[in-house]
Amino acid sequence: MNEKNATRYQQRILAHYEQHQQSDRPTLILGIETSCDETSASVIKDGRVILSNIIASQADIHKRFGGVVPEVASRRHVENITLTIEESLQEAGVTLDDISAIAVTYGPGLVGALLVGVAAAKAISYARGIPLIGVHHIAGHIYANRLVTEMEFPLISLVVSGGHTELVYMDQHGSFEILGETRDDAAGEAYDKVARALSLPYPGGPHIDRLAHEGTPNVPLPRVWLEPDSYDFSFSGLKSAVLNTLHNAEQRGERIEPANLAASFQASVVEVLVEKTIRAAKAKQARQILLAGGVAANKGLREALTARCEQEGLTLIIPPLSLCTDNAAMIAAAGYISYQQGRFASLDLNGVPGLSLTEPF
Amino acid sequence: MRVLAFDTSSPVLTVAVADESRVLGEWTTNLNKNHSVTLMDGISALLDEIKTDPDQLTAIAVGQGPGSYTGVRIGVSTAKSMAWSLGIPVIGVSTLETIAMNAIGFGGLIVPLFDARRGQVYTGCWDSVEMTSLRSVLDERIILLRDWLPQVLEQAAGRPVLFLGDDVSLHRAVIEEMVGEQARFAPSGLNHPRAAQIAWLGMQKLEQADAPDTHAVNPEYLQVSEAEAKWLANQQK
């Protein structure tokens, strides 16, 4: 940065960074996450220790609409944002004076929702001269694992959520290579659609998971492996097969036990996710497999992946349920890596709904 | 007192800093809808220009709409987060009243409006108390322009009515048809919200009452979201 042409903001950020680097105080990152329907703020010490992780969930508000309504979510974010951040500092027992940097999710997600968190983060960064870091939401989900266990490279992360199904390869901190991703529906999306067909309430994932454990997987459903060497996924065919099975049975006047159908659907999804993950881990000689994203809360997936990893002698890390769903602790944990690398965002940081994981900010 | 004021509710991006006696600086553009990208740099550039650091600010005033939902949220989220982090008050000001301020002193009714699609407008109605302040005559609302104009005419009681806002041009034919010779249209320089007016309105509000709770300063959308409206309608069936 050219000192003479630098704005006052850039000068203040640099001074703040140098002062915090020189002090022997711990590095505290304030994380902010508003990409979907959770307003969350968190303070993380040295990238790994959670001092606070406040989540103002809107799940109850969106339940009545049968899904997240972007405009409703965005309105709640504005109402909650400063309150949530304040609570995160209070619970951590710190003030903004102690914060080394602010890390905020800037994509992917709902654009109107993202913009609230991004605006708040930039405003506080500017007002207080605290460095600003933009974090990819999926990088956050992967780094949720670092709040539990130190990462060892190379590693493979299976990211599964309502909007994502990805196999990510990492050979060092902050570096992400997408080995495979869904070509149509995300796994969580397929869960929600099948749940709707079975008249289960929103969000459908937990209900299918519960029902699957009561049933027997005896309904024949396809496994979509795509090309033999592909790490990509496809769930829309499976979803259609479930709907067709229900429809055909109805026309014949037969009844399919919903628990058995749920068990069969889950078995198909889980088998493909698990086997592709294991294959990728072996091919890349991964030292760890990390499970990440909201669907990591799925019991069927956790059990199957745990069993296969034991069988193959692979190390599996699964974050606790509270860190699987959207939260700001994981965003701060991912932001800590950028902080160590001195990679900061500028005041024109924008919310990017379709942000790519491999795109540096 | 040193107040930072801004508004991002419409295509206009406007930023100003003012104290009790004068406007120290003001910056306005009327072409950029990507306020998320430009607002903070705009604030930063203006404050650098007038040699003011954020910690020298004593209050923040923000246009809280009505207008573009996303636009209003960018402005209000930025304002309350800045104010909260600096420990200073934040005051929300009507974007419509801000535009009305441009015509303070006009000897009739002042009606600013934004287009709200399908023949509707976001609007309100004020008259001037000499050159010192505005008095609200009809509450701000979203309404069909054809339903609104008769109410304005009734309040005007024969006085002229000045229509303000860049969107007036979209509705000029209807206004001329229904308001006739009482209608007045402003020079373009009076049609956009100016942050200097927001600063002034904000300082007036701070003088008259305690500052609101920062967390509770939120956009004034003037209508519930479509999804909530549908849900409420279904509940009443």
Side-chain angles (χ1 to χ4, degrees), chain B residues 40-153:
Chain B
M40 281 314 310
D41 276 331
I43 293 172
S44 169
L46 180 66
L47 263 67
D48 279 8
E49 188 64 33
I50 60 168
K51 305 263 183 290
T52 299
D53 272 344
D55 58 8
Q56 293 169 271
L57 298 171
T58 54
I60 292 177
V62 64
Q64 60 189 151
S68 145
Y69 293 167
T70 297
V72 179
R73 275 194 287 272
I74 290 167
V76 172
S77 300
T78 300
K80 67 196 279 190
S81 301
M82 272 189 85
W84 169 79
S85 68
L86 292 167
I88 59 178
V90 58
I91 304 103
V93 168
S94 158
T95 303
L96 288 168
E97 186 174 6
T98 300
I99 299 177
M101 278 293 297
N102 291 343
I104 193 167
F106 178 71
L109 294 182
I110 305 167
V111 176
L113 61 85
F114 287 124
D115 182 54
R117 291 195 286 260
R118 296 191 287 260
Q120 300 178 105
V121 290
Y122 292 114
T123 188
C125 179
W126 285 266
D127 64 10
S128 289
V129 182
E130 299 179 335
M131 283 301 284
T132 55
S133 64
L134 294 177
R135 186 179 66 88
S136 173
V137 176
L138 292 168
D139 284 345
E140 293 178 40
R141 66 197 73 187
I142 177 169
I143 185 173
L144 282 168
L145 182 62
R146 286 188 178 275
D147 292 344
W148 171 243
L149 294 175
Q151 299 182 38
V152 172
L153 276 174

Side-chain angles (χ1 to χ4, degrees), chain A residues 8 12 64-65 71-72 74-76 78-79 82-83 85-86 115 120 122-123 126-128 347-348 350, chain B residues 36-37 40-41 47-48 53-54 69-70 73 77-78 80-81 84-85 215 218 221 223 225 227-228 231:
Chain A
R8 274 291 293 144
R12 286 158 55 225
R64 70 182 114 142
F65 304 120
E71 176 60 24
V72 175
S74 305
R75 289 185 179 200
R76 296 298 172 274
V78 185
E79 290 161 16
T82 49
L83 211 54
I85 297 170
E86 185 172 276
L115 285 175
K122 293 199 296 185
Y126 175 74
R128 299 295 300 264
L347 289 178
D348 60 1
N350 198 9
Chain B
S36 167
V37 173
M40 281 314 310
D41 276 331
L47 263 67
D48 279 8
D53 272 344
Y69 293 167
T70 297
R73 275 194 287 272
S77 300
T78 300
K80 67 196 279 190
S81 301
W84 169 79
S85 68
H215 303 303
N218 287 308
Y221 303 101
Q223 60 179 345
S225 68
E228 284 168 306
W231 184 83

Side-chain angles (χ1 to χ4, degrees), chain A residues 238-274:
Chain A
L238 172 62
K239 174 200 67 195
S240 303
V242 172
L243 301 184
N244 286 339
T245 303
L246 275 172
H247 184 70
N248 292 342
E250 195 181 318
Q251 288 207 324
R252 287 196 300 267
E254 294 168 11
R255 185 177 177 275
I256 293 185
E257 175 53 43
N260 292 346
L261 190 58
S264 307
F265 166 75
Q266 174 138 310
S268 173
V269 173
V270 166
E271 185 179 333
V272 175
L273 289 175
V274 169

Side-chain angles (χ1 to χ4, degrees), chain A residues 189-199 208 239 242-243 265:
Chain A
E189 230 174 321
Y191 266 90
D192 283 340
K193 287 175 183 168
V194 168
R196 208 172 300 153
L198 292 174
S199 308
I208 297 238
K239 174 200 67 195
V242 172
L243 301 184
F265 166 75

Side-chain angles (χ1 to χ4, degrees), chain A residues 22-45:
Chain A
Q22 282 157 13
S23 88
D24 47 12
R25 288 182 296 181
T27 300
L28 299 185
I29 309 285
L30 169 65
I32 298 174
E33 151 71 35
T34 64
S35 68
C36 191
D37 62 337
E38 324 276 8
T39 316
S40 182
S42 165
V43 179
I44 297 294
K45 187 171 95 175

Side-chain angles (χ1 to χ4, degrees), chain A residues 260-340:
Chain A
N260 292 346
L261 190 58
S264 307
F265 166 75
Q266 174 138 310
S268 173
V269 173
V270 166
E271 185 179 333
V272 175
L273 289 175
V274 169
E275 291 312 318
K276 292 212 177 203
T277 306
I278 299 288
R279 185 155 61 80
K282 283 177 163 175
K284 291 287 189 181
Q285 297 179 322
R287 297 178 66 189
Q288 287 177 333
I289 294 176
L290 311 186
L291 189 55
V295 182
N298 184 288
K299 218 171 127 200
L301 177 60
R302 295 164 89 103
E303 285 171 0
L305 197 55
T306 305
R308 282 291 280 131
C309 284
E310 268 173 28
Q311 208 178 359
E312 299 286 344
L314 293 162
T315 305
L316 173 68
I317 300 166
I318 305 179
L321 292 182
S322 61
L323 293 176
C324 289
T325 46
D326 292 352
N327 67 86
M330 67 185 199
I331 300 305
Y336 178 69
I337 303 301
S338 299
Y339 182 79
Q340 285 183 306

